[in-house]
Amino acid sequence: MQEYNNWKEVSGTPEAHRDFLRVVDAKLEEGLGGKNLYERLSKEITVDGKPFSQAFHLNNLESNSTNWDTDETPDPVKLEIVELTSKIKAADPGYDLEHFMVGYEYMISEMKERGVEVNAGLDHSEPAPANRSGSDYEPGL
């Protein structure tokens, strides 16, 4: 049983949230045995003395992540958050951390702009050149 005193221990900082996502990932790695992820987490994690709730987690994540300074958060922490968030979403599409983590896409696009390889989030790369139609008409000529 994993116990947290309050939701700030779960999502108060990027590092705390990364550590919590590691706990969730460990539950995924153990296998769900045919049970939904939320059922497993509510049986094996408590926050403030109550069974874990995905809904409470998402609401508290949204509330707490507004105070995160992701510009000061080391890239390895951010990359692990992105990786674990994607893995959890793949296991349980309803557990939509990305849309509740304030600044999630900013964090990803900022790393991509600095040349950090990130395999998640919106694609901020340059669009591929348009295929030519084969016509002899060239705009602007």
Side-chain angles (χ1 to χ4, degrees):
M1 178 69 77
Q2 179 75 37
E3 297 178 13
Y4 295 91
N5 291 321
N6 55 54
W7 286 102
K8 285 216 176 264
E9 285 185 19
V10 173
S11 58
T13 66
E15 291 80 3
H17 199 248
R18 177 219 38 215
D19 293 346
F20 177 73
L21 295 179
R22 287 175 176 170
V23 170
V24 175
D25 182 53
K27 301 300 178 194
L28 291 175
E29 294 297 324
E30 290 171 10
L32 297 176
K35 298 195 185 262
N36 290 324
L37 179 59
Y38 75 93
E39 290 175 341
R40 176 105 185 239
L41 298 178
S42 70
K43 290 178 182 171
E44 298 182 17
I45 298 173
T46 62
V47 182
D48 195 21
K50 298 179 183 97
F52 175 80
S53 159
Q54 282 186 14
F56 283 160
H57 178 210
L58 294 174
N59 288 332
N60 281 282
L61 175 62
E62 184 172 41
S63 184
N64 288 324
S65 62
T66 60
N67 297 318
W68 291 1
D69 185 354
T70 57
D71 289 335
E72 296 298 320
T73 304
D75 287 346
V77 172
K78 294 188 282 193
L79 287 168
E80 190 172 358
I81 288 172
V82 169
E83 176 187 316
L84 292 172
T85 296
S86 298
K87 187 174 180 183
I88 291 165
K89 175 98 180 244
D92 182 352
Y95 203 176
D96 189 10
L97 295 154
E98 297 95 325
H99 286 93
F100 287 84
M101 192 180 309
V102 176
Y104 182 76
E105 289 296 341
Y106 166 78
M107 182 173 73
I108 291 170
S109 63
E110 184 275 328
M111 284 192 292
K112 284 183 176 183
E113 286 171 8
R114 290 187 292 106
V116 177
E117 186 175 331
V118 184
N119 295 318
L122 296 173
D123 182 5
H124 294 281
S125 60
E126 293 296 318
N131 291 333
R132 297 192 182 256
S133 67
S135 161
D136 61 354
Y137 171 72
E138 290 292 331
L141 292 181

